[in-house]
Amino acid sequence: MKVYKFGGTSVGTAERFRALIPLIDDETEKIVVLSAMAGTTNALAEMSALFSDGNKGEARKKCEAMRKEYHAVADALFSSETWTLKAHDLADEHFGYIDSLFSREYSRHNEKRILARGELLSTAFLHFLLSEIGIPSVLVPALNFMRIDKDGEPDYFYIRENLKRELAAVNEEKIIITQGYICRNVFGETDNLRRGGSDFSATIIGAATGAEEVQIWTDISGIHNNDPRYVENTRVIRNLSFDEAAELAYFGAKILHPSSIHPARMKNIPVRLKNTMHPSDEGTLIKSASTLEDYKAVAAKDGIIVLRVRSDRMLLAYGFMRKIFEVFEAFKTPIDMITTSEVSVSLTIDDATYLDDIVKSLSSIGIVEVEKEQTIICVVGDFRPGRVGSAPEIFEALNEIPVKMISYGGSENSVSILVNTRDKIIALRSLSAKLFPEE
Ligand code: ASP
Ligand code: MG
């Protein structure tokens, strides 16, 4: 069994939907996990925002416009009247349901019910399309097996047992279709795995079924060794380890949801990144071990805030770090990078929700400085301890740029450097020129 996940652009138009058929119609048994059509989840989120602001009139207008758009997609997608009408009815049902929610009070739960419509529609459309052509497939609702626990983490036991039951009921069909992103929470309510969560759904399903492989199909041919938006002549990386991929997914390589590495690593299931526009491209293969190279990739993450805490009382004192960390814990804010000296600590965060409270609390410990508009540049490569000479090129490449923080030694496969966001592009280009000279 394999798991194939197709993102929003891979089901973005009637034409893209049809392009999936040759990719899934073969002898391999597979679970096809779909995102909503590109733009749908954003539109549903906008609708929910209008709803929560009490602007129900606008929300209803948007809903009606979307219903019409889905009718138009159906008109372009299906050839027969039967399937076109079925698709119209389904769109009417889902958008009618959203409209009926608008008559009630706004709640987070109603918002989640709205957000779930995109995946419910895309999966049904694919199932209808295959049915119209005569290719056998089954639609297994994610809400019958996908579930998060009270901490919002996948409930693997529940998922495995329920998916097993659902799959046992499948007859001969080789194509099993299900929704990415959506799930139930501990109360059994409709919930989701957060934005971009379909990748996570795919690897959770891969782990729960012990799949041979998880394929994530997008519109780029794998993870590049630098950001193609800013740097010319980037290359696709053929092999990555789970650890390397996790660092890159977190630090800016937008191609894969960062949480999605964990389930795959847990059950040692290879993840292959493929391109629906160029299916024969090899893509990137992520598995337990990879080929070690001095430097593999560079990625950047913007929107970083650095906090510096300075105190003479820190000198030779203990328990200082605990006090600092407790502040971040109290405000549920993860720390990304950290460097320390005898009298000061620098930490970075990317979530500014509780910044003011954090600064206030830290001020009782020492003098606090805050700097915004920072970027973490992460260089992935071979930085195993004991290796000599594995970083000088990095610093040589950056010798014209003010480096704000360096984190070396925390990970065997990455080095992180903090720079001002305005220096990011030049930093990425200089690193590329130095670390990946053209052959
Ligand atoms: N449709 C959801 C989103 O746009 C989930 C996904 O595409 O992965 O965030
Ligand atoms: Mg995505």
Side-chain angles (χ1 to χ4, degrees):
M1 173 87 84
K2 290 189 180 182
V3 178
Y4 290 14
K5 179 259 171 177
F6 295 97
T9 49
S10 304
V11 291
T13 59
E15 194 193 348
R16 302 301 327 151
F17 261 109
R18 272 193 290 270
L20 298 190
I21 294 166
L23 304 177
I24 58 177
D25 183 25
D26 58 22
E27 283 309 298
T28 315
E29 268 187 86
K30 60 187 78 70
I31 301 182
V32 175
V33 179
L34 292 191
S35 288
M37 292 182 71
T40 293
T41 312
N42 283 343
L44 294 171
E46 283 163 25
M47 233 182 265
S48 310
L50 290 167
F51 184 16
S52 104
D53 292 345
N55 199 345
K56 293 186 179 182
E58 277 304 306
R60 286 210 151 92
K61 248 193 243 162
K62 240 184 163 3
C63 181
E64 177 55 16
M66 265 190 103
R67 188 182 68 86
K68 290 202 177 112
E69 277 172 36
Y70 270 82
H71 276 224
V73 172
D75 294 341
L77 187 56
F78 303 102
S79 334
S80 67
E81 203 184 311
T82 319
W83 289 103
T84 312
L85 289 180
K86 264 185 194 269
H88 283 189
D89 285 348
L90 189 80
D92 293 349
E93 197 183 298
H94 283 297
F95 291 106
Y97 175 71
I98 295 177
D99 199 86
S100 76
L101 292 178
F102 292 151
S103 326
R104 305 187 201 170
E105 282 297 299
Y106 168 84
S107 69
R108 294 283 297 173
H109 182 212
N110 282 336
E111 171 163 346
K112 285 168 175 168
R113 287 166 156 161
I114 295 174
L115 291 174
R117 301 297 118 187
E119 273 71 12
L120 292 169
L121 278 159
S122 63
T123 47
F125 275 26
L126 180 65
H127 182 52
F128 287 178
L129 179 65
L130 294 171
S131 307
E132 180 176 55
I133 303 170
I135 300 170
S137 72
V138 236
L139 187 56
V140 171
L143 297 180
N144 288 2
F145 65 85
M146 193 57 92
R147 182 162 146 141
I148 47 176
D149 62 20
K150 63 180 189 341
D151 301 315
E153 295 297 324
D155 181 342
Y156 286 102
F157 180 75
Y158 181 98
I159 296 167
R160 204 169 44 240
E161 293 305 308
N162 286 279
L163 187 52
K164 205 193 283 170
R165 184 200 61 232
E166 293 289 319
L167 294 180
V170 173
N171 299 320
E172 314 276 68
E173 295 89 348
K174 296 262 187 288
I175 305 173
I176 295 152
I177 305 168
T178 193
Q179 297 86 17
Y181 178 59
I182 63 174
C183 61
R184 289 193 190 275
N185 59 25
V186 263
F187 307 110
E189 300 163 343
T190 302
D191 210 313
N192 60 61
L193 300 173
R194 296 197 280 274
R195 295 305 307 273
S198 295
D199 297 340
F200 197 19
S201 302
T203 56
I204 293 169
I205 292 170
T209 56
E212 187 188 325
E213 183 172 281
V214 174
Q215 299 189 353
I216 307 277
W217 290 79
T218 64
D219 53 359
I220 15 178
S221 299
I223 296 185
H224 283 243
N225 64 353
N226 205 326
D227 194 327
R229 286 172 302 179
Y230 309 117
V231 180
E232 282 173 24
N233 303 318
T234 60
R235 279 195 305 265
V236 171
I237 315 164
R238 296 275 169 244
N239 287 285
L240 284 171
S241 67
F242 289 123
D243 289 332
E244 291 168 336
E247 306 257 9
L248 283 177
Y250 177 70
F251 288 107
K254 284 276 158 13
I255 184 164
L256 192 64
H257 190 281
S259 310
S260 57
I261 305 293
H262 177 71
R265 186 208 323 250
M266 205 171 57
K267 293 281 171 179
N268 197 13
I269 295 164
V271 177
R272 200 183 284 278
L273 306 178
K274 298 276 288 175
N275 187 348
T276 35
M277 310 281 182
H278 301 282
S280 56
D281 283 0
E282 211 181 302
T284 299
L285 180 62
I286 304 166
K287 52 186 176 60
S288 56
S290 81
T291 47
L292 284 172
E293 280 162 46
D294 287 354
Y295 304 109
K296 267 198 155 164
V298 176
K301 186 174 170 71
D302 292 336
I304 302 292
I305 300 157
V306 57
L307 293 122
R308 247 176 240 109
V309 188
R310 207 152 34 81
S311 172
D312 296 342
R313 283 178 292 149
M314 235 174 115
L315 201 66
L316 301 172
Y318 48 79
F320 237 93
M321 289 298 183
R322 181 179 48 76
K323 281 191 201 138
I324 292 176
F325 287 157
E326 271 171 1
V327 172
F328 290 88
E329 194 179 341
F331 294 107
K332 293 188 174 8
T333 302
I335 299 167
D336 286 332
M337 245 176 111
I338 170 161
T339 61
T340 67
S341 80
E342 202 44 71
V343 290
S344 63
V345 182
S346 294
L347 309 119
T348 70
I349 58 173
D350 67 359
D351 178 356
T353 316
Y354 299 107
L355 182 60
D356 294 341
D357 301 296
I358 291 171
V359 171
K360 213 165 138 207
S361 299
L362 289 176
S363 299
S364 66
I365 304 174
I367 300 161
V368 186
E369 272 170 51
V370 179
E371 235 182 316
K372 296 184 182 170
E373 283 171 52
Q374 304 292 302
T375 293
I376 294 179
I377 299 201
C378 171
V379 180
V380 169
D382 180 5
F383 303 106
R384 282 171 300 171
R387 263 195 100 218
V388 287
S390 56
E393 285 95 344
I394 297 177
F395 300 105
E396 238 174 275
L398 296 177
N399 68 2
E400 302 282 313
I401 296 159
V403 169
K404 314 287 284 289
M405 276 170 78
I406 298 165
S407 172
Y408 182 104
S411 155
E412 293 195 358
N413 41 50
S414 77
V415 170
S416 303
I417 299 139
L418 189 77
V419 300
N420 290 317
T421 300
R422 61 172 178 275
D423 295 325
K424 172 182 75 171
I425 296 178
I426 168 112
L428 290 177
R429 288 185 184 152
S430 319
L431 282 166
S432 237
K434 192 84 195 168
L435 309 184
F436 312 120
E438 277 170 72
E439 287 97 338

